[in-house]
Amino acid sequence: MSRGASLLRVALAYVVAITVGLAWLVWGPDTAHLWLDGLIADLIATLVIFGFSRAYGNSSVYDAYWSVIPPLLAFYWWVAADAGVNDVRWWLMMTVLVAWAVRLTANWVRTFPGMHHEDWRYPMVRGRAGRFGIAADLLGIHVFPTLQVFAGLIPVYVVATRAGEPLGPLDIVAFVVGIAALALETVADLQMHRFLATAAPGQVMQSGVWSWSRHPNYVGECGIWLSMGLFGLAARPAAWWVLAGFATMLAMFLTVSIPMMERRSLERRPQYGEVIRRVSLFLPRPPRKAAAHT
């Protein structure tokens, strides 16, 4: 199947999923809690994507869900809460969130080669589950990331439903953190694309921002969710729990995603051991000097 036909299939899945989720919000039972309405619609749409993933035999159909749904949920909460259009905090936050979503989705579209390709981690997850592979596919590859991102959106919900709270210095910090994180992700992806276009098999990217962190894209991703948390904290200063989404996101990257990537790189790239000795795992810092050989 061609790349264009594959993208059309994925687009169809998302149109159906978003339509079904919206139908639930419009005609489904009212829980009297906007956050719960959003969560149920989010999970229903996830189940629709899971159905398409199984039908297509490719769980990478879900990959763009991470960035497509957050702005839609955010605007649903904002409209349903009748927050008005004059809340500066809301627009600062949404500038970061929408720019992040557009960039990440566009990057996925750019790098998705077609329906023949599936993220290498997904067969591993299903294989380790054995006869419970379908359950691992549903829960581990689809539902868990949906809940993870929803947790990251808790502060977005707080901002959407607390319009009119005065703007403060923390809002400026949140905006700067978000823009810096967006810039880091963008630069990291561009540098990696250029490297992959000419790199020989087994070569390791270790220049630019990748010389300061082995996973700068994940640093930027965590920065986006920290930015959302800080906006939520600015809107409701006593609500420390708005940072829970950022904390769980950071924990997921440090304990699951990064260790998997590290093991894969060590298996596939002979030079990666030297990169580990010189380049920071996560937080950017100047690289150590290469060890002298005698």
Side-chain angles (χ1 to χ4, degrees):
M1 182 184 300
S2 70
R3 180 173 179 274
S6 297
L7 288 172
L8 281 175
R9 285 195 172 196
V10 174
L12 172 63
Y14 279 77
V15 169
V16 174
I18 292 168
T19 300
V20 172
L22 180 60
W24 170 269
L25 292 173
V26 174
W27 293 297
D30 186 356
T31 68
H33 300 286
L34 282 179
W35 69 267
L36 184 54
D37 291 335
L39 175 58
I40 294 172
D42 197 5
L43 289 171
I44 289 172
T46 299
L47 291 176
V48 173
I49 295 296
F50 173 70
F52 276 97
S53 293
R54 298 301 298 180
Y56 294 157
N58 189 335
S59 292
S60 279
V61 171
Y62 178 84
D63 287 351
Y65 197 85
W66 182 278
S67 54
V68 167
I69 294 301
L72 300 180
L73 266 179
F75 278 112
Y76 161 71
W77 286 328
W78 180 66
V79 171
D82 195 21
V85 299
N86 298 319
D87 189 352
V88 176
R89 174 181 295 113
W90 166 260
W91 292 113
L92 286 175
M93 181 187 70
M94 289 308 295
T95 296
V96 174
L97 187 66
V98 172
W100 163 83
V102 170
R103 190 209 70 81
L104 194 56
T105 305
N107 187 63
W108 179 83
V109 171
R110 176 183 178 183
T111 57
F112 183 59
M115 203 61 75
H116 61 277
H117 169 81
E118 184 179 39
D119 189 299
W120 59 271
R121 290 167 289 194
Y122 299 161
M124 184 186 302
V125 169
R126 293 191 297 266
R128 287 176 176 174
R131 59 178 177 157
F132 300 106
I134 294 178
D137 194 357
L138 171 61
L139 299 176
I141 298 173
H142 291 79
V143 172
F144 175 76
T146 290
L147 295 176
Q148 185 84 53
V149 172
F150 191 88
L153 290 174
I154 290 172
V156 177
Y157 172 80
V158 170
V159 173
T161 56
R162 292 180 67 87
E165 296 292 331
L167 203 68
L170 189 55
D171 292 292
I172 305 305
V173 172
F175 185 72
V176 170
V177 167
I179 295 301
L182 183 65
L184 177 58
E185 281 190 306
T186 302
V187 170
D189 282 344
L190 289 174
Q191 289 179 347
M192 181 58 76
H193 291 325
R194 285 198 294 265
F195 170 76
L196 292 176
T198 59
Q203 278 191 297
V204 182
M205 175 58 162
Q206 47 186 315
S207 61
V209 296
W210 297 87
S211 68
W212 285 56
S213 169
R214 302 204 297 275
H215 302 278
N217 49 339
Y218 290 161
V219 176
E221 186 69 15
C222 288
I224 293 294
W225 298 109
L226 175 59
S227 172
M228 297 300 106
L230 293 176
F231 276 119
L233 201 59
R236 191 170 178 178
W240 58 267
W241 41 264
V242 298
L243 293 171
F246 159 71
T248 57
M249 199 76 70
L250 180 63
M252 180 195 70
F253 282 122
L254 291 178
T255 63
V256 180
S257 299
I258 288 177
M260 288 179 72
M261 296 296 293
E262 292 283 290
R263 287 193 295 269
R264 182 174 171 83
S265 292
L266 283 169
E267 291 170 0
R268 292 160 55 93
R269 298 174 176 87
Q271 301 175 357
Y272 200 70
E274 177 60 28
V275 173
I276 289 175
R277 286 187 285 272
R278 295 190 303 102
V279 180
S280 169
L281 172 68
F282 189 70
L283 290 178
R285 61 160 176 75
R288 299 184 183 93
K289 292 182 179 180
H293 297 282
T294 56

